[in-house]
Amino acid sequence: MLNTPQPNSELDKLLIKTASILDIPDHVYEDATLKYEDVGNWLGAEDSELLNYAPDIYVQGSFRLGTVVRPISAKDEYDIDLVCHLSINKENISQKDLKEMVGMRLKKRKDLSDILKPSRRCWTIEYPTGNQMPNFHMDILPAIPNIARQPTGILLTDTELKFWQKSNPKAYADWFYERMKVIFQERRAAFAESIQANIEEVPAWQVKTPLQTAVQILKRHRDIYFLDKQDVKPVSIIITTLAALSYENQPSVYDALIGIVRKIENNWGKKGFVEYRNGKWWVANPVDDDENFADKWNEYPARRESFLAWLKKVQRDLNAAKTSRNFNESADTLAPALGRSPIARAAQNLGRPISSTALVPM
C-alpha cells in the first residue's frame, strides 16, 4: 500500500511502517475479497431464493474503511462484516424469518454449510487456516431498508431478534473518505503516476492516508492499553468517528495523531464531538444524528472515564516519542504502547534495527 508522508520524519516513518505491519497483508486482503465476493455471488445468484428481493451484498466496517488492525494474538481472528441487504418492508417480515432466509441459502452450498455457524444477529463463516493464511471469519448480517434513511439506510436484527437496529455503512464510508478526500486524491494520483496507470485503475485499498494510519495506530494502542480491562475498552466506531471529525488533512501521521487527540480533548462537551445532550453523553453517527455511538457510556460511566484516561496516555506517549533524543529512543518509547514485535520489525524494515529492552512481547 502506498503511503508517502510529507514531511518524511523518522518518527513518521516508524509510525507508518508499524501501521503497515499491523495492517491486513495484501495477499490476505485479496483472498478475503475473493471469498466475500464468492459468498455475495452465491446469495444473489439467478437460482437464489433471495433474487426476488434484489439482494445487495457489500462489506462494511474497518475492511471497507481501510483501518483493519491485525489481532494481538495469533489465536484471534480477522473479522469481516458482510451485509446482505434485501428489499423487504419491515412490516412484511420478522427478524427471525429474515435471518432464516439468508441462512437457508447459505446452507444450500455444502462448502459453506460445513463452516457456517449461527450467531445471535447474523451468520458466521469460519474459514480454515492454511497456505500461510491467518484466522479470519466472515459475519453475514441480514438487513432490510430503513425507509426513514434512504437511499442507503438499513435495519439490522438485534442480539435478541426482537428490535430493528439502524445502520448506514455505505453513507458512513462515504463520509469517512470525504474527511480525507484532499490527501487521498493526491496520493491516489501519485500512485497512478508511479505505475503509469489511470487514477480510476488504482483501487482505494492500495492507497493509505494519514487518517487511516492514525486510526490503526490508535486502535492498536487501545488494544494494548485495555488488554486487561476489556469491560471498559472503547469500541472502534467511536475512535474512528472522532478521529475523522478531528482530522485536518495533515500529510504527517504524527501531526494527524497529535492533532486528533488534542482536538477531541479541546472539543469535549461541544456539539459535533463528544456532546452532553439532554443529560446524556453522545457521540453522534455523522450520517444519522439520532444514533448515539456512545450510548453505553451513560449506562456504564467507567467507559467514558477510561476513554478520557486512555486519550491522555496516547498524548503522553506521542509527546515522549517526539521529544526522544534519537530513533532508538523513540522506538523504545513506543514499544510498550504499540507492541515490541511490530516496532522491532518496523525498525528492521527501515534499516534501523534496535536493541530495545521493552517488555511488551506482542
Side-chain angles (χ1 to χ4, degrees):
M1 295 180 185
L2 179 74
N3 199 328
T4 51
Q6 297 173 348
N8 211 8
S9 71
E10 287 194 324
L11 180 54
D12 256 26
K13 290 180 182 178
L14 181 61
L15 290 168
I16 291 165
K17 186 60 69 174
T18 301
S20 72
I21 288 168
L22 296 173
D23 204 347
I24 184 169
D26 285 359
H27 73 282
V28 178
Y29 184 99
E30 291 167 355
D31 182 74
T33 299
L34 290 173
K35 283 184 167 63
Y36 82 67
E37 288 177 346
D38 174 57
V39 171
N41 290 337
W42 173 251
L43 290 170
E46 289 188 4
D47 64 343
S48 172
E49 301 81 354
L50 307 179
L51 190 62
N52 290 337
Y53 305 107
D56 183 18
I57 319 298
Y58 57 88
V59 71
Q60 70 159 355
S62 60
F63 203 81
R64 188 182 187 111
L65 301 178
T67 58
V68 175
V69 174
R70 70 174 173 83
I72 287 180
S73 170
K75 297 179 182 178
D76 296 327
E77 300 178 334
Y78 286 104
D79 177 14
I80 299 173
D81 288 334
L82 199 66
V83 174
C84 177
H85 177 270
L86 303 177
S87 294
I88 307 173
N89 291 333
K90 68 176 182 178
E91 292 80 12
N92 296 334
I93 195 168
S94 69
Q95 294 190 359
K96 181 179 179 181
D97 288 345
L98 175 66
K99 183 184 173 188
E100 285 305 313
M101 282 176 61
V102 175
M104 288 283 288
R105 177 60 183 173
L106 291 169
K107 291 175 183 177
K108 283 196 170 184
R109 214 175 91 180
K110 188 176 186 307
D111 62 325
L112 295 179
S113 180
D114 289 346
I115 55 177
L116 185 68
K117 295 181 180 179
S119 300
R120 293 290 301 191
R121 65 183 296 180
C122 64
W123 294 94
T124 299
I125 298 177
E126 295 276 1
Y127 287 98
T129 57
N131 298 323
Q132 297 183 326
M133 296 298 296
N135 297 333
F136 84 89
H137 67 268
M138 186 183 301
D139 288 333
I140 301 168
L141 297 93
I144 59 173
N146 179 3
I147 302 302
R149 296 287 179 182
Q150 287 302 290
T152 55
I154 61 175
L155 298 174
L156 298 164
T157 57
D158 76 339
T159 54
E160 299 297 329
L161 292 176
K162 293 179 181 178
F163 302 101
W164 295 104
Q165 298 294 314
K166 297 184 295 182
S167 188
N168 203 335
K170 285 186 176 181
Y172 184 92
D174 289 344
W175 169 83
F176 182 82
Y177 276 92
E178 184 66 26
R179 295 297 303 169
M180 58 182 186
K181 179 180 179 180
V182 173
I183 201 152
F184 174 79
Q185 289 179 336
E186 288 177 358
R187 296 193 173 187
R188 193 181 188 191
F191 189 35
E193 185 177 351
S194 72
I195 62 173
Q196 297 183 328
N198 294 323
I199 292 178
E200 296 75 16
E201 295 174 321
V202 178
W205 67 268
Q206 285 193 319
V207 180
K208 189 72 73 175
T209 70
L211 172 58
Q212 292 167 310
T213 300
V215 170
Q216 291 176 303
I217 293 292
L218 290 170
K219 286 166 67 173
R220 173 43 58 105
H221 192 290
R222 171 210 56 188
D223 290 344
I224 292 179
Y225 181 85
F226 289 96
L227 197 58
D228 299 320
K229 297 174 282 189
Q230 294 291 315
D231 56 327
V232 293
K233 177 180 175 180
V235 294
S236 293
I237 192 64
I238 291 179
I239 295 171
T240 304
T241 301
L242 292 176
L245 282 167
S246 305
Y247 182 58
E248 296 178 345
N249 277 296
Q250 296 96 329
S252 157
V253 172
Y254 173 83
D255 288 346
L257 277 165
I258 202 69
I260 285 167
V261 294
R262 286 175 179 169
K263 195 167 183 178
I264 294 172
E265 283 193 330
N266 293 339
N267 288 278
W268 196 267
K270 296 181 182 178
K271 183 173 176 57
F273 285 82
V274 179
E275 302 178 45
Y276 193 61
R277 183 189 296 187
N278 300 323
K280 289 186 176 182
W281 290 102
W282 198 284
V283 176
N285 180 341
V287 297
D288 186 348
D289 191 59
D290 293 332
E291 183 178 3
N292 181 14
F293 288 147
D295 188 52
K296 292 295 184 182
W297 285 9
N298 300 296
E299 189 176 352
Y300 306 102
R303 296 190 183 188
R304 174 180 56 84
E305 296 162 5
S306 296
F307 182 87
L308 270 171
W310 167 68
L311 207 63
K312 293 182 184 299
K313 181 64 165 63
V314 173
Q315 191 163 336
R316 289 197 301 272
D317 289 339
L318 289 173
N319 286 334
K322 181 69 171 179
T323 56
S324 295
R325 292 171 296 180
N326 53 49
F327 181 91
N328 277 19
E329 194 171 294
S330 290
D332 275 351
T333 298
L334 291 175
L338 301 179
R340 169 164 170 67
S341 176
I343 289 291
R345 285 178 59 195
Q348 181 73 40
N349 289 350
L350 291 169
R352 301 290 298 274
I354 57 174
S355 55
S356 173
T357 57
L359 298 177
V360 178
M362 292 84 144

